Amino acid sequence: MYLKSLLRDIGLEPERVQMYHISSAQAAQFAQAATEMNNQIKALGPSPLRIPRTPINDIEPPEESEDNYHY
Amino acid sequence: MIVAEQKSLEELKTLIGDARKVLVVGCGTCVTVCFAGGEREAAIVSSSLRMASTLEGRPREIHDVTVQRQCEWEYLDQIAEQIGDADLVLSLACGIGVQAIAEHFPKTWVVPGLNTSFLGLPSEQGIWVERCAACGDCILGLTGGICPIARCSKSLLNGPCGGSEDGHCEIDPEVDCAWQLIYDRLTAMGKTEVLLNIQPIKNWRTSRDGGPRKIVRPDLRLAAEQDIPAAGANLRSIRLLVSGAGAAAIDAGERD
């Protein structure tokens, strides 16, 4: 509850965090919770705080120097 | 301990205003143990404000640091450089810590991140209750160790009043009647005869009524720092004079 209200105050969706009580013997419940959260986060979309990543193909390879190790 | 509560994030954002470089300063003593302004809270506030600022489209540079005690110069000296670099300091100490920063760093704009609430203790996990009003003239020796100044809603010295019902105060059935607590404790201790001593009107000069208070301990003063008030100075002070036998006498100083 505290974390949800803190997220709301910050300006983020409180649904981004959820607490589940699941014992180590409850595999099915764990899978269900993981699926539920996965769907929830997908529906909300990426965090607005997230810095857009440069597509991997656009990253310049680092210049090689004598300090680099090659295996 | 001094018990405090954190201000809302909304109020903190207002207090910070347009400052670009903010230093959140936690305090490692009272407000740490009441979970209001310690190292953990300073980090959470700092992180929350960074996120909120970014979401509002005006990211700021916000750092946090926590000192052992914000109310002593030597601990503040340790963070002088960080304070000097900041546009604004958000203090997560009690009001004493906020004022200590303002006094020690005259060019620093400092704002309070907490509301200082009272002097008290944690009665249960997550619950703090008031126990002392810092009246400057302790009478706990007359009341079985239960303070009627802080805990009786009327601060009665010869209670209870007519508003005491089933051991509770008329202001709120959740509030214990301090004088019922005192009576119950004295009964359990076999000392109810103490209640037969009628307490005279309390001298409130030692409390807030006498203006800002001050204690001078000549035995602890450094020779180089001894200051002698000029004759006729308008000094409001309470001097605690400790005699060789250890008895204390209060001299209420010159008054207006």
Side-chain angles (χ1 to χ4, degrees):
Chain A
M1 283 305 290
Y2 164 71
L3 196 51
K4 277 178 178 289
S5 87
L6 185 60
L7 286 180
R8 193 180 293 111
D9 290 346
I10 290 168
L12 292 168
E13 302 90 340
E15 297 80 17
R16 288 186 181 277
V17 66
Q18 184 65 48
M19 188 166 174
Y20 293 91
H21 294 279
I22 303 169
S23 89
S24 57
Q26 293 176 302
Q29 283 90 333
F30 179 83
Q32 189 187 340
T35 307
E36 196 176 296
M37 272 312 283
N38 189 41
N39 293 339
Q40 177 77 283
I41 296 298
K42 273 186 175 173
L44 290 168
S47 161
L49 290 167
R50 193 170 178 173
I51 299 164
R53 286 183 182 166
T54 310
I56 192 103
N57 293 334
D58 296 349
I59 297 173
E60 293 284 324
E63 283 183 24
E64 288 198 7
S65 74
E66 291 177 0
D67 296 335
N68 286 352
Y69 288 94
H70 298 281
Y71 296 98
Chain B
M1 73 177 80
I2 295 172
V3 182
E5 272 188 305
Q6 215 171 84
K7 288 179 180 286
S8 70
L9 199 64
E10 204 55 44
E11 187 174 353
L12 295 184
K13 284 193 282 186
T14 307
L15 283 168
I16 287 173
D18 294 326
R20 301 284 302 164
K21 291 173 77 175
V22 176
L23 181 66
V24 179
V25 185
C27 181
T29 315
C30 305
V31 294
T32 288
V33 288
C34 67
F35 300 96
E39 190 173 8
R40 190 185 72 152
E41 290 75 27
I44 292 172
V45 165
S46 171
S47 173
S48 302
L49 288 171
R50 267 196 304 274
M51 286 193 273
S53 302
T54 303
L55 288 173
E56 287 170 359
R58 47 176 185 175
R60 310 163 199 263
E61 199 179 313
I62 303 176
H63 300 286
D64 60 275
V65 64
T66 297
V67 293
Q68 184 60 44
R69 281 196 286 281
Q70 270 188 48
C71 55
E72 292 195 48
W73 310 139
E74 50 264 53
Y75 293 106
L76 292 179
D77 285 336
Q78 295 169 1
I79 56 166
E81 200 173 320
Q82 287 156 282
I83 285 186
D85 285 343
D87 296 335
L88 177 144
V89 170
L90 174 63
S91 167
L92 292 192
C94 66
I96 306 164
V98 180
Q99 292 182 71
I101 288 179
E103 196 169 334
H104 205 47
F105 304 102
K107 292 179 179 170
T108 297
W109 187 250
V110 58
V111 295
L114 306 183
N115 291 321
T116 307
S117 306
F118 51 77
L119 305 178
L121 55 80
S123 61
E124 294 174 38
Q125 179 81 23
I127 298 178
W128 287 266
V129 287
E130 186 169 13
R131 286 290 180 267
C132 178
C135 72
D137 185 13
C138 191
I139 57 163
L140 286 168
L142 304 171
T143 57
I146 295 167
C147 180
I149 306 299
R151 301 183 65 182
C152 167
S153 302
K154 295 174 180 170
S155 297
L156 294 179
L157 288 173
N158 299 284
C161 72
S164 177
E165 193 172 339
D166 297 329
H168 296 102
C169 177
E170 64 184 336
I171 65 153
D172 185 342
E174 294 285 309
V175 175
D176 289 324
C177 168
W179 276 101
Q180 182 73 51
L181 295 175
I182 292 167
Y183 177 75
D184 291 345
R185 180 160 163 78
L186 292 178
T187 303
M189 302 284 289
K191 290 182 181 294
T192 45
E193 73 275 4
V194 172
L195 295 173
L196 297 175
N197 299 320
I198 303 299
Q199 295 307 314
I201 295 168
K202 186 174 170 67
N203 177 0
W204 290 100
R205 284 188 305 166
T206 57
S207 189
R208 290 285 305 131
D209 304 70
R213 294 170 280 182
K214 180 178 180 180
I215 290 176
V216 177
R217 284 276 302 269
D219 57 321
L220 296 177
R221 299 278 295 146
L222 297 175
E225 293 179 353
Q226 293 281 6
D227 54 349
I228 301 164
N234 184 14
L235 175 70
R236 283 190 159 194
S237 68
I238 298 166
R239 292 181 189 151
L240 184 66
L241 305 174
V242 182
S243 78
I250 290 176
D251 169 13
E254 295 91 338
R255 306 291 301 273
D256 275 341

